[in-house]
Amino acid sequence: MPENGPVNARHVLVLPDRDSAEEVAVELADRFGVADEPQLVRDALAGEDDAEDAQWLVVVEDPESRLDPSGLDALAAEYEGWLEAP
């Protein structure tokens, strides 16, 4: 019976603001050797238009599943964020 491949080849880190998201994106290259630039996405909370009420997502592609989710979660936590569960 063949093994199933990884279900999720993408990690999403949720950060409280754009500055934190940008710093995490830099840290991903430094700490984890992520070569491809992560995608930064503004995630406005439901019903809110104010930029103060927006979270930022750092989307990291991981097609080879080589990144450690607990390490990514720890990095996000340093910036008051978290790794979104798959």
Side-chain angles (χ1 to χ4, degrees):
M1 186 173 212
E3 280 188 40
N4 290 335
V7 174
N8 188 9
R10 172 180 295 154
H11 303 281
V12 179
L13 291 79
V14 182
L15 286 302
D17 54 54
R18 183 181 185 129
D19 290 341
S20 297
E22 289 174 346
E23 290 178 34
V24 165
V26 170
E27 286 293 320
L28 285 167
D30 293 345
R31 291 191 198 182
F32 296 94
V34 173
D36 295 332
E37 186 171 335
Q39 180 182 5
L40 302 180
V41 179
R42 181 178 178 272
D43 184 34
L45 300 176
E48 299 294 336
D49 295 330
D50 190 353
E52 295 295 320
D53 295 321
Q55 296 174 327
W56 282 80
L57 308 178
V58 178
V59 181
V60 184
E61 299 296 332
D62 186 20
E64 297 172 10
S65 297
R66 64 177 191 81
L67 298 175
D68 174 32
S70 62
L72 294 172
D73 190 43
L75 171 61
E78 291 176 28
Y79 293 88
E80 300 180 15
W82 66 89
L83 176 66
E84 190 69 20

